[in-house]
Amino acid sequence: MQENQPLWTPTQDGIENSPIHAFMQRCNADFGLALKGFEDLHAWSIADRENFWSALWDFCGVKGERGADVLVNGDRMLEARFFPGARLNFAENLLSGSGAGDAIIFRGEDKVSDRWSWDRLRALVSQLQQGFRALGVGEGDRIAAMMPNMPETVAAMLAATSIGAIWSSCSPDFGEQGVLDRFGQITPKLFIACDGYWYNGKLQDVKAKVAAVASSLGVPTIVVPYAGDAETVARETEGGKTLADFVAPYAAKPVEFVQLPFSHPAYILFSSGTTGVPKCIVHSAGGTLLQHLKEHRLHCSLRPGDRLFYFTTCGWMMWNWLASGLASGATLCLFDGSPFAPDGNVLFDYAAQEKFAIFGTSAKYIDAVRKSGLAPRLSHDLSSLRLITSTGSPLSPEGFSFVYEGIKQDVQLASISGGTDIVSCFVLGNPLQPVWRGEIQGPGLGLAVDVWNDEGNSVRQEKGELVCTRAFPSMPVMFWNDPDGAKYRAAYFERFDNIWCHGDFAEWTEHGGLIIHGRSDATLNPGGVRIGTAEIYNQVEQMEEVAEALCIGQDWEDDVRVVLFVRLAPGVTLSEDLVKAIKTRIRVGASPRHVPAKVIAVADIPRTKSGKIVELAVREVVHGRPVKNQEALANPEALRLFAGLDELKV
């Protein structure tokens, strides 16, 4: 493929038969417009947000009362309110089907296989809803789940949101403290956990962790059977019941849906915990629903009956994104475990057998498949696959090329980027434009995305901050435990007044696409999974041998690897046994994803005059870049300890 040629170009037939084209034609007719392509549609969608979001509501058939107003205070980011008079229910919109057709298909590595009809899903949602209400769970109460990506997790989320409760989840590979750092902040009324899970072919025992978390939270616990012994886990957990025992008193009946305001919270998601315990980001039912419908229907051409797959855990916002595929009548294809168990073909076997229309994954996974020597294009029938999406970290140009050389030639590849902060994407693909090597196709409809330099000026083909200059529906409702909104404002609005600054280093391309060059801050991103340094410090600094630690992400082979620097206690040396102990402590206490690739002892760690360690400054030194504002440091001479280290040479 020539460098100056796109990797994929939509056919005219594909364009004219896409939902986004139908939407554009309807808007032309309804509003007297003459929109001809994606750039026209996007420009109109941010110039006339009221008509755009109203038209989207109608086009996607949102169930609910829309109300008179679409947007009030639209010129003020923090005061803007979309559909302030609307009433709807999140779960009612997701439970869009009925009957014997597939709603959810599930694979747990090669150990478990299951298939859920819409009727089976509705039945469990009904039973769970009744059980939740019997416990006194109602509007605004939190339900917290430490669960694999399995059908019961989706059912429990739907039951929670059907009655106006707020859902929050993480994956079962989090350590006990990692779970409590999240759920301990939101005081849930109910805890849901699995009895074990599979990873890389091995059974992972969670009995002690479930019991400890449940005891700390002090709430009833439902134990869902998957890979272990649910009865034993429930028996050994204070207030524990198996799922079967919990729903046994209730016969399935039609699900009831409480009608709630557009801004009513549906989800609490968590930041990575870079500077302390994770922030609790609250997302609205209406904003999440509309944003996901837009991305699924218009950007991904998702249709009823399509098989939608995303490789994700329940601790990543892509799980929430995947679950919303039900609202378009799609069949969710869930997978839990290692994507290389029993081998690297497992997800492509799944894709071929179930005829995925959309295959969502991470840049790291694509790179791992590339390096493994697999060629799914030759070994698997992927004829049904029309869209591959990649997120979590920037997809390298080599990754783009490999998708077409090794996976499928005639497929749209959409590198996408957004995050937990907006439970969706700022920039992503669309079926109306070509795919260029190394580039995200463009901004999301209705989102005034731009790239600004340090002076707050829009720049083209120059690196700068990814910003959004106008309010949009999936902005967080608030941060939990942030009564005056100070944490919320600090997270996005301190850099530029009344402008969302996302913290990504980005660049517009000559084709109108975008390249994300990485995070602007110190958040680690190995394998496309956002990791907070504080979660690592919380583990390693509890060890007697370690006095202090500092963690950075080092650019490495088109990815990022975690490097942990430790200042050891007096008289301690960094032996192989100590390195192993540090890694084990992090793996058990946080998660396997937090384990550093390198552990290096240093004599001192630089800090500000107020005592804060300076991760960003160390990262600059490791990468051979100058450090600004060294006068702000209490011990700037310590930076020299991190320069030119043999262990970190690329």
Side-chain angles (χ1 to χ4, degrees):
M1 181 67 69
Q2 298 179 14
E3 286 293 320
N4 61 350
Q5 296 295 316
L7 294 169
W8 175 86
T9 303
T11 64
Q12 191 61 35
D13 184 62
I15 290 172
E16 292 175 358
N17 288 309
S18 66
I20 192 173
H21 181 78
F23 175 76
M24 186 165 57
Q25 297 310 310
R26 182 180 295 187
C27 291
N28 281 340
D30 290 349
F31 304 113
L33 305 171
L35 308 174
K36 291 185 172 62
F38 183 82
E39 290 181 356
D40 287 352
L41 179 59
H42 181 262
W44 171 73
S45 74
I46 57 177
D48 190 353
R49 285 173 294 168
E50 290 90 340
N51 278 332
F52 168 74
W53 291 107
S54 179
L56 183 75
W57 178 300
D58 292 341
F59 183 81
C60 295
V62 173
K63 298 182 181 74
E65 296 295 326
R66 191 168 57 194
D69 295 322
V70 176
L71 176 61
V72 297
N73 298 327
D75 59 339
R76 299 195 296 278
M77 275 276 192
L78 287 163
E79 286 80 41
R81 296 293 178 266
F82 285 85
F83 300 98
R87 308 283 292 185
L88 56 82
N89 184 274
F90 187 75
E92 182 178 15
N93 280 276
L94 268 62
L95 275 173
S96 60
S98 60
D102 291 332
I104 301 177
I105 300 167
F106 174 58
R107 301 281 176 89
E109 293 191 349
D110 61 341
K111 310 294 183 185
V112 179
S113 179
D114 206 354
R115 192 175 297 268
W116 286 46
S117 68
W118 286 95
D119 283 351
R120 180 180 174 186
L121 178 59
R122 282 180 173 273
L124 182 57
V125 171
S126 169
Q127 291 176 289
L128 285 167
Q129 177 189 75
Q130 295 172 67
F132 292 169
R133 281 179 161 159
L135 284 177
V137 177
E139 295 176 26
D141 290 330
R142 279 76 61 206
I143 293 178
M146 185 184 77
M147 284 287 290
N149 179 22
M150 59 191 296
E152 288 86 348
T153 315
V154 177
M157 177 275 289
L158 292 169
T161 52
S162 72
I163 60 175
I166 307 171
W167 177 263
S168 192
S169 61
C170 72
S171 59
D173 64 348
F174 275 88
E176 175 189 334
Q177 192 58 49
V179 177
L180 291 173
D181 282 348
R182 289 159 173 78
F183 297 157
Q185 297 186 70
I186 63 173
T187 57
K189 272 199 172 181
L190 177 66
F191 178 50
I192 303 174
C194 60
D195 61 358
Y197 64 97
W198 300 102
Y199 196 83
N200 206 25
K202 296 178 182 177
L203 175 62
Q204 309 294 318
D205 186 359
V206 298
K207 287 195 292 290
K209 181 163 57 180
V210 171
V213 171
S215 177
S216 293
L217 294 176
V219 296
T221 299
I222 300 173
V223 180
V224 178
Y226 173 37
D229 180 351
E231 292 187 0
T232 299
V233 176
R235 188 169 57 249
E236 296 180 1
T237 301
E238 185 179 353
K241 274 189 178 182
T242 65
L243 176 63
D245 287 344
F246 182 79
V247 300
Y250 312 108
K253 61 181 185 179
V255 181
E256 297 177 15
F257 300 107
V258 178
Q259 299 301 300
L260 297 158
F262 187 89
S263 61
H264 183 80
Y267 290 135
I268 296 177
L269 278 64
F270 301 96
S271 71
S272 56
T274 303
T275 56
V277 294
K279 299 180 183 70
C280 310
I281 304 173
V282 184
H283 284 293
S284 70
T288 302
L289 176 66
L290 264 194
Q291 182 78 337
H292 288 177
L293 281 169
K294 179 202 73 179
E295 293 182 354
H296 289 156
R297 295 284 297 278
L298 303 188
H299 288 272
C300 298
S301 297
L302 188 64
R303 297 175 174 88
D306 277 350
R307 263 47 174 171
L308 173 63
F309 169 81
Y310 224 101
F311 178 68
T312 182
T313 71
C314 298
W316 191 21
M317 52 77 46
M318 292 312 302
W319 179 83
N320 308 78
W321 189 93
L322 172 63
S324 291
L326 293 171
S328 295
T331 298
L332 306 187
C333 295
L334 309 184
F335 181 89
D336 194 79
S338 168
F340 291 94
D343 58 47
N345 288 306
V346 62
L347 296 186
F348 295 107
D349 291 345
Y350 192 10
Q353 290 160 6
E354 295 299 341
K355 302 190 183 308
F356 291 179
I358 299 172
F359 186 114
T361 187
S362 67
K364 182 64 176 176
Y365 173 76
I366 290 172
D367 191 53
V369 173
R370 178 175 69 90
K371 291 176 179 176
S372 73
L374 293 173
R377 184 171 69 86
L378 303 177
S379 57
H380 291 77
D381 177 7
L382 301 176
S383 55
S384 63
L385 186 62
R386 66 168 186 269
L387 174 64
I388 294 174
T389 61
S390 168
T391 192
S393 60
L395 182 62
S396 67
E398 293 78 13
F400 272 79
S401 296
F402 171 72
V403 166
Y404 289 92
E405 294 164 0
I407 299 178
K408 192 179 183 187
Q409 291 178 317
D410 182 22
V411 70
Q412 181 191 352
L413 171 60
S415 180
I416 66 179
S417 183
T420 301
D421 318 81
I422 64 169
V423 74
S424 56
C425 306
F426 273 126
V427 291
L428 67 168
N430 75 76
L432 303 182
Q433 293 182 310
V435 173
W436 294 89
R437 188 173 186 264
E439 299 182 19
I440 299 172
Q441 283 181 283
L445 292 170
L447 300 178
V449 174
D450 204 356
V451 177
W452 283 16
N453 62 16
D454 290 343
E455 288 71 47
N457 298 318
S458 177
V459 292
R460 292 272 162 169
Q461 294 178 249
E462 177 185 323
K463 296 175 184 177
E465 292 288 339
L466 184 75
V467 299
C468 191
T469 62
R470 297 188 182 185
F472 51 96
S474 65
M475 291 170 59
V477 178
M478 60 180 176
F479 285 3
W480 201 258
N481 297 327
D482 182 29
D484 62 356
K487 293 178 183 177
Y488 185 11
R489 289 192 299 275
Y492 313 112
F493 297 104
E494 282 192 344
R495 182 74 184 274
F496 304 113
D497 182 48
N498 200 36
I499 299 294
W500 179 291
C501 186
H502 195 53
D504 276 341
F505 205 43
E507 180 181 7
W508 288 110
T509 73
E510 61 178 313
H511 307 116
L514 288 106
I515 297 172
I516 304 290
H517 294 284
R519 293 292 294 170
S520 308
D521 57 20
T523 302
L524 307 173
N525 223 10
V529 179
R530 292 178 67 200
I531 286 176
T533 52
E535 296 184 281
I536 294 175
Y537 303 151
N538 287 344
Q539 301 303 322
V540 72
E541 290 183 356
Q542 294 178 44
M543 301 177 69
E544 292 181 2
E545 301 90 339
V546 178
E548 194 176 20
L550 182 145
C551 203
I552 66 160
Q554 181 190 17
D555 296 340
W556 187 263
E557 296 182 350
D558 293 324
D559 194 14
V560 172
R561 67 175 182 178
V562 178
V563 178
L564 177 66
F565 298 99
V566 290
R567 181 172 63 82
L568 298 171
V572 177
T573 57
L574 189 64
S575 64
E576 288 185 10
D577 286 344
L578 180 54
V579 170
K580 183 178 180 181
I582 288 170
K583 290 185 175 183
T584 299
R585 178 63 182 254
I586 294 168
R587 179 181 291 108
V588 172
S591 87
R593 298 186 183 91
H594 293 71
V595 176
K598 292 283 185 178
V599 180
I600 299 171
V602 289
D604 196 10
I605 286 177
R607 61 189 62 82
T608 65
K609 290 181 171 65
S610 62
K612 294 181 181 179
I613 61 172
V614 286
E615 298 150 324
L616 292 179
V618 170
R619 191 178 191 282
E620 295 301 280
V621 170
V622 165
H623 288 91
R625 297 189 287 259
V627 176
K628 302 174 183 177
N629 301 322
Q630 290 194 30
E631 64 276 7
L633 300 181
N635 55 339
E637 68 282 359
L639 287 174
R640 293 197 296 269
L641 301 171
F642 299 84
L645 295 174
D646 289 341
E647 301 99 316
L648 298 182
K649 286 183 178 176
V650 177

